[in-house]
Amino acid sequence: MATSNLSAYDAQSVPDASNMIFGIVVAEWNPEITGALLDGCVSTLEKHGALPENIHVKRVPGSFELIYGAHQMTLNDGYDAVIILGSVIRGETPHFDYICQGVTAGIARLNATSNIPVIYGLLTTNDMQQARDRAGGRLGNKGDECAIVAIKMAKF
């Protein structure tokens, strides 16, 4: 479990993003959480110089579809990095495990085979409160972290 604020980082260590183009694929499932992740991600990209017109957001129905959405964005040569944002909350069935494992494997495969980084922003929590804590709550916003990672990896 994370014990530090996800939004805490050394701003001086982040490259200028003013000439970068980002794709963001966000799941519609758990919109309270994914909306907060998206807001944090976009505001952090802009804080580090990304122009609003260079941040392209596409929505997919659920977290499993993030793989397809990210793959389609990697096929567009214009992006410097693609960020996926989703939230899977454990329920009473093994569905949680299959979705989390599938998305993780799919994004790992994209990172190994595409020419641009795909940033993993899937929250995998045991309950809604843990998700809220990581989407702008007491532990910060994973969307902020994903934006910083995307900028740094785009400069890699």
Side-chain angles (χ1 to χ4, degrees):
M1 179 188 303
T3 57
S4 63
N5 189 313
L6 299 171
S7 300
Y9 63 93
D10 175 15
Q12 299 298 322
S13 71
V14 182
D16 176 38
S18 60
N19 292 321
M20 297 179 185
I21 302 173
F22 299 94
I24 303 174
V25 185
V26 60
E28 294 172 340
W29 195 258
N30 294 322
E32 171 191 348
I33 303 304
T34 59
L37 293 172
L38 178 61
D39 290 345
C41 185
V42 169
S43 67
T44 300
L45 289 171
E46 290 177 352
K47 175 181 172 182
H48 291 283
L51 301 173
E53 60 268 23
N54 289 339
I55 302 170
H56 305 159
V57 178
K58 298 287 187 178
R59 297 182 188 279
V60 295
S63 291
F64 198 76
E65 292 77 26
L66 291 167
I67 303 164
Y68 177 83
H71 180 243
Q72 292 305 306
M73 284 190 155
T74 65
L75 298 176
N76 177 341
D77 293 332
Y79 295 112
D80 294 293
V82 173
I83 303 164
I84 64 131
L85 299 172
S87 171
V88 183
I89 300 170
R90 187 178 301 278
E92 297 177 1
T93 69
H95 179 75
F96 173 90
D97 297 315
Y98 297 129
I99 296 299
C100 295
Q101 290 172 6
V103 175
T104 300
I107 298 305
R109 186 177 61 251
L110 284 176
N111 271 305
T113 60
S114 71
N115 292 327
I116 61 170
V118 179
I119 310 308
Y120 185 87
L122 180 69
L123 288 183
T124 58
T125 59
N126 289 318
D127 57 48
M128 182 60 87
Q129 187 56 52
Q130 287 180 347
R132 287 184 184 118
D133 288 346
R134 289 157 178 79
R138 69 181 183 86
L139 295 175
N141 191 318
K142 179 75 171 174
D144 297 342
E145 179 184 320
C146 291
I148 297 307
V149 171
I151 295 167
K152 288 182 173 185
M153 290 306 295
K155 280 288 194 186
F156 184 76

